Amino acid sequence: LPSLEHNRASNSRPIKILDVGCGSGYLTACFGRLCDGGTISKSILPFRGKVFGIDIHPKLVQLTTSNLERQDGDLLKNGTITLQCGNGWVGLPKEAPFDAIHVGAAASQLPTELALQLGLGGVLVVPVGQSGGVQALLKVQRVNTTSASKFVWNDYHVERWGGVRYVPLIHS
């Protein structure tokens, strides 16, 4: 949230969040409430923006849609949240840059295509490690833009937040 607050303060455009592996839609809905600029979130964090939820499994995209329609249908109707099937390793480059990217599945290595979709100051939170073992939850913040199309390690600050166990991020 501090990165979102900083980006909002230093940038007049609405914030953009990518939720990779939207699953049941719970976190996607939470992100949507942060970005809807409605009365609930205005009193907490007055962000305006869009949330993009993707999942490789069509049934999970449908589950997210059903769950959101039941409780948070306004976020779908007003365009705060959009959902689609997609490859989490690729992300949504046409919608970049993102202020935040959350990955809800473990990547075997840092997904550099996602990191490239961060705007300056943007943060990627991703579990990284082998399936079935302990993975590292990483916070990857873009601190420079040496190249827009090639991953350069010096453009990012990486922090390890601890050990986790997630399902694997699937290649399609």
Side-chain angles (χ1 to χ4, degrees), residues 27-117:
L27 191 56
T28 308
C30 291
F31 288 145
R33 287 292 165 213
L34 283 175
C35 294
D36 74 344
T39 56
I40 294 172
S41 55
K42 270 190 179 175
S43 61
I44 302 168
L45 296 167
F47 296 131
R48 278 227 157 290
K50 276 190 70 82
V51 178
F52 300 86
I54 65 171
D55 204 295
I56 200 161
H57 299 291
K59 287 184 179 185
L60 289 177
V61 174
Q62 185 53 47
L63 176 64
T64 298
T65 303
S66 297
N67 288 340
L68 287 172
E69 285 172 344
R70 262 197 309 270
Q71 190 64 34
D72 297 293
D74 61 309
L75 297 174
L76 292 171
K77 288 178 187 146
N78 69 20
T80 298
I81 293 177
T82 59
L83 303 169
Q84 67 185 62
C85 286
N87 183 340
W89 286 94
V90 175
L92 292 175
K94 289 181 181 177
E95 298 295 343
F98 293 101
D99 299 290
I101 300 174
H102 164 263
V103 182
S108 56
Q109 61 189 22
L110 183 69
T112 56
E113 283 188 64
L114 289 180
L116 284 168
Q117 293 173 44

